[in-house]
Amino acid sequence: MDMYLTTEDFREMMRVMYTDQQPYTLGEYEGIPLASEVCEIMDELRSFEVRADDCWIVTYPKAGTTWVQEIMSAVMHDGNLEEVNKSHSMLRVPYFEQTFPEEVRRLKNLPTTHRIADEMPSPRVIKSHLPGQLLPPQIWTKKAKIVYVIRNPKDLMVSFFHFEQMLNLKGAGLSFEEYLGYRNSKKASYGSWWDHYLYFWKRRHQPNVLVLRFEDLKRDLRGNVEIISQFLGKALSAKTLDDITEHCSFINMKNNPMTNPDSLLAADEIPGRSFMRKGKSGNWKTHFTVAQNESMDALIKEKLHGTGLTFDH
Ligand code: A3P
């Protein structure tokens, strides 16, 4: 498949975006804080033409998107990893609401990302971080498949904190304590994690929705690769499932320039930082103070009480 951009083009745009310190501003769409340029295209995004055979990976950022999108992409390629490795994960799987400031887009004559998805042959794997209520309504009428990933919000906080520092996003420059205050509020980009999670948690039994948990993928990657492939309607051999599992291990994804986002984000130019940071469950334990942990537990209890959604560790 022809790619809309080369890795080098994308990298150059990201460099302009992040290393040249373009200002990052948040706007609001239907009460949800989103990057200003995303707000501008939201009406258009909502009328996106969905196809019944689309496979969406939807997450609150840092919940395990890149991991699961790679599994889905490999599954939809029937485990043909040679083909998969011909292009970068982030180009194979368009990021639905990603857009670049106009001056950056002009550099490469680039339409907004959802327009790029228009051109892609079926079946498409499309990534989005939009909260469920802001996704194109056709997703629900056409019953496209959606894989949604939930991660322990404490680990999500740590992962997001480092990510925003790395790319100089809205939360950069905040202390971890300040960051917790921002990310645990409705003012955070993409809104609150609990509303985002609960939208899909409540719909987890719908036939076109598969809710997975980061911690389960850590415990049993092979089993989850199989669950994903069955959900996507693929009957893959045991050997193919093994190969996809190996392709998607943390270390293999980190070492593979076609799956590690650093190569596209130009993050490998930032000393000591990587998108593929730890890839663990429970890493929050080295970041949270006792008081921060207690207040996070109280928030989790308050927001998730009675929903059946809990976190083990
Ligand atoms: P950490 O920052 O805790 O290391 P997203 O893709 O939603 O932005 O999530 C990024 C997080 O998923 C990062 O977590 C990253 O290391 C982790 N991740 C990505 N690929 C992974 C893999 N193959 N195995 C385990 N964790 C992975």
Side-chain angles (χ1 to χ4, degrees):
M1 188 207 317
D2 283 345
M3 286 299 135
Y4 62 93
L5 275 174
T6 64
T7 308
E8 275 318 306
D9 284 342
F10 197 100
R11 191 180 166 94
E12 192 183 325
M13 291 170 59
M14 293 311 284
R15 200 181 282 121
V16 175
M17 285 274 288
Y18 295 123
T19 31
D20 291 357
Q21 318 256 316
Q22 294 278 327
Y24 180 94
T25 53
L26 282 181
E28 207 177 277
Y29 185 86
E30 295 192 359
I32 303 292
L34 298 168
S36 307
E37 61 271 16
V38 175
C39 291
E40 281 166 31
I41 58 164
M42 272 310 295
D43 287 342
E44 222 189 309
L45 289 177
R46 303 264 295 146
S47 59
F48 178 69
E49 194 65 32
V50 174
R51 301 178 196 154
D53 59 1
D54 283 339
C55 308
W56 289 68
I57 163 73
V58 180
T59 57
Y60 195 82
K62 312 319 287 177
T65 332
T66 313
W67 194 4
V68 173
Q69 87 179 42
E70 188 58 21
I71 299 171
M72 291 171 70
S73 176
V75 164
M76 295 313 287
H77 280 82
D78 298 309
N80 183 344
L81 298 176
E82 202 183 316
E83 196 56 35
V84 164
N85 279 327
K86 280 186 184 160
S87 58
H88 197 285
S89 184
M90 290 171 74
L91 302 178
R92 257 181 285 129
V93 180
Y95 177 7
F96 182 58
E97 69 274 19
Q98 181 175 47
T99 183
F100 297 93
E102 212 186 322
E103 58 275 24
V104 179
R105 247 188 293 145
R106 222 180 296 127
L107 287 175
K108 298 293 168 197
N109 237 340
L110 187 75
T112 57
T113 317
H114 63 296
R115 289 280 155 244
I116 290 156
D118 282 349
E119 308 291 318
M120 292 184 85
S122 291
R124 304 176 292 193
V125 182
I126 303 174
K127 151 183 163 180
S128 179
H129 292 311
L130 290 175
Q133 72 277 15
L134 296 188
L135 287 169
Q138 278 191 18
I139 285 200
W140 305 104
T141 54
K142 298 205 174 166
K143 305 218 177 333
K145 294 200 170 86
I146 303 174
V147 180
Y148 187 80
V149 192
I150 288 179
R151 185 178 190 184
N152 184 331
K154 295 178 191 171
D155 280 330
L156 189 121
M157 293 295 135
V158 172
S159 184
F160 221 150
F161 173 70
H162 287 289
F163 180 72
E164 297 208 32
Q165 306 281 340
M166 180 172 97
L167 293 186
N168 208 14
L169 300 177
K170 197 72 197 158
L174 300 181
S175 67
F176 186 61
E177 173 78 18
E178 290 165 337
Y179 189 77
L180 287 177
Y182 161 67
R183 186 51 60 197
N184 279 318
S185 76
K186 293 206 174 237
K187 291 208 164 78
S189 58
Y190 288 103
S192 60
W193 59 264
W194 58 89
D195 288 334
H196 206 290
Y197 282 9
L198 287 175
Y199 185 95
F200 288 94
W201 180 249
K202 286 177 189 153
R203 288 164 178 77
R204 68 191 182 284
H205 299 306
Q206 290 191 12
N208 64 321
V209 174
L210 175 67
V211 172
L212 299 176
R213 301 181 63 143
F214 185 98
E215 295 74 24
D216 289 339
L217 277 121
K218 281 303 294 180
R219 262 192 293 269
D220 178 15
L221 182 54
R222 172 66 159 73
N224 279 271
V225 169
E226 192 160 4
I227 291 169
I228 292 170
S229 97
Q230 279 167 3
F231 176 71
L232 298 181
K234 296 281 185 182
L236 302 178
S237 69
K239 164 85 170 67
T240 305
L241 294 172
D242 287 344
D243 292 347
I244 295 175
T245 304
E246 194 175 329
H247 174 75
C248 293
S249 73
F250 180 78
I251 194 67
N252 287 342
M253 279 187 63
K254 190 175 171 86
N255 289 338
N256 181 350
M258 293 304 181
T259 53
N260 185 336
D262 287 352
S263 49
L264 279 203
L265 300 175
D268 42 9
E269 293 172 18
I270 311 169
R273 303 274 192 178
S274 175
F275 184 100
M276 301 291 292
R277 200 183 57 88
K278 298 271 185 208
K280 292 187 173 157
S281 308
N283 183 236
W284 64 267
K285 290 172 191 158
T286 60
H287 284 70
F288 278 65
T289 63
V290 172
Q292 286 167 344
N293 188 34
E294 281 171 5
S295 102
M296 193 80 198
D297 280 339
L299 181 77
I300 292 171
K301 199 168 162 200
E302 178 199 331
K303 301 299 180 189
L304 302 186
H305 178 74
T307 64
L309 177 58
T310 54
F311 300 95
D312 297 343
H313 47 78

